[in-house]
């Protein structure tokens, strides 16, 4: 199966499913409820990758590319995000290479 965007109906379904999990996370009253919601969110995201045609190996390689790019970011304050000072954000350094470059290679583009 070629790698492709989800159809409009699949995109709509996946969006509704992930938004429902975000709402469950926001409503969580216990750590167990929060963990369940976050892992369900990850489960739907991985399922979306599968529906797009990614193999498990491709999904893992893409995750690694995103993770490595994020780990190159530096602690700081992102002006576009409201902050109360309690959370440190991750800022892209000047030489930041977005993960899409590596993802394109992984997907065969």
């Amino acid at each position: 199966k070629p790698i492709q965007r989800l159809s409009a109906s699949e995109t709509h379904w996946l969006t509704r499913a992930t938004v429902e999990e975000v709402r469950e996370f926001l409503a969580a009253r216990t750590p167990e409820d929060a963990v369940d919601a976050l892992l369900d969110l990850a489960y739907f995201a991985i399922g979306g990758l599968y529906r797009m045609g990614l193999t498990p190996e491709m999904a893992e390689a893409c995750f690694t590319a995103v993770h490595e790019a994020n780990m190159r970011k530096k602690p700081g304050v992102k002006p576009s995000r409201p902050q109360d000072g309690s959370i440190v954000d991750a800022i892209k350094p000047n030489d930041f290479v977005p993960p899409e470059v590596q993802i394109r290679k992984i997907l065969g583009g």
Side-chain angles (χ1 to χ4, degrees):
K1 176 179 172 181
I3 307 303
Q4 57 192 14
R5 291 277 324 234
L6 297 177
S7 68
S9 62
E10 287 175 308
T11 298
H12 182 70
W13 179 88
L14 184 56
T15 300
R16 283 194 345 254
T18 55
V19 166
E20 180 181 331
E21 294 306 327
V22 170
R23 286 187 179 125
E24 287 184 18
F25 174 71
L26 292 170
R29 295 185 176 260
T30 66
E32 297 83 3
D33 291 342
V35 167
D36 177 58
L38 288 173
L39 290 175
D40 280 346
L41 186 58
Y43 195 82
F44 279 115
I46 292 166
L49 296 173
Y50 174 78
R51 287 171 179 257
M52 289 176 64
L54 277 72
T55 65
E57 295 79 17
M58 293 167 95
E60 183 178 359
C62 289
F63 177 86
T64 298
V66 170
H67 174 69
E68 289 174 354
N70 283 333
M71 294 310 293
R72 286 191 290 274
K73 294 178 181 179
K74 305 295 180 203
V77 174
K78 189 170 185 178
S80 62
R81 276 196 195 126
Q83 299 254 339
D84 65 3
S86 65
I87 297 175
V88 175
D89 211 335
I91 307 299
K92 296 174 185 174
N94 291 334
D95 62 347
F96 183 77
V97 177
E100 290 84 355
V101 172
Q102 188 64 25
I103 291 170
R104 190 172 298 111
K105 291 177 188 174
I106 294 164
L107 300 182

